[in-house]
């Protein structure tokens, strides 16, 4: 039970810290291009796409190095991973058009 709790804390920290860093990086790139996605629907698309990318990263890499040692740990199928990454990248590219 304690391993599950520690793994949940680890997931939250990974998503918050790395998600914030990735969001700041994307915001910096958009700012250099003269695009402002703050407080728009484009900002929501950027956030969702970052969390999709981290979901794929967690399911394919991070879950195997954590505290939880129980059943159900398997990678996403290759087609699912590729389609989620493609959707996420497309959302990053179309986000500026939702200003």
């Amino acid at each position: 039970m304690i391993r599950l709790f520690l793994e949940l804390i680890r997931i939250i920290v990974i998503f918050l810290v790395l998600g914030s860093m990735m969001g700041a990086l994307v915001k910096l790139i958009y700012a250099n291009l003269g695009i402002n996605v703050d407080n728009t629907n484009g900002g929501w698309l950027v956030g969702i796409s970052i969390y999709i990318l981290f979901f794929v990263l967690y399911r394919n890499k991070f879950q195997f190095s954590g505290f939880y040692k129980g059943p159900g740990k398997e990678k996403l199928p290759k087609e699912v991973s590729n389609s989620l990454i493609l959707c996420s990248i497309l959302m990053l590219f179309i986000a500026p058009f939702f200003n």
Side-chain angles (χ1 to χ4, degrees):
M1 185 68 170
I2 192 76
R3 286 184 181 265
L4 180 65
F5 181 69
L6 289 173
E7 185 66 20
L8 288 174
I9 291 174
R10 180 176 170 261
I11 292 168
I12 290 169
V13 169
I14 287 172
F15 273 63
L16 287 178
V17 172
L18 292 179
S20 297
M21 290 171 47
M22 183 71 169
L25 178 67
V26 170
K27 184 178 175 182
L28 181 66
I29 291 170
Y30 281 153
N32 284 335
L33 295 174
I35 301 168
N36 184 13
V37 293
D38 289 337
N39 300 324
T40 63
N41 291 336
W44 280 96
L45 279 178
V46 169
I48 292 169
S49 66
I50 288 170
Y51 282 118
I52 290 172
L53 285 174
F54 281 123
F55 171 73
V56 172
L57 182 65
Y58 179 80
R59 284 291 307 265
N60 290 340
K61 298 290 181 193
F62 288 152
Q63 77 174 341
F64 302 109
S65 64
F67 296 105
Y68 182 67
K69 303 294 183 201
K73 292 171 58 171
E74 60 184 47
K75 287 185 175 186
L76 290 172
K78 189 81 164 168
E79 297 83 20
V80 173
S81 294
N82 289 340
S83 63
L84 285 173
I85 291 171
L86 179 65
C87 287
S88 181
I89 291 171
L90 287 175
M91 287 188 334
L92 284 172
F93 281 119
I94 65 169
F97 299 111
F98 283 91
N99 274 343

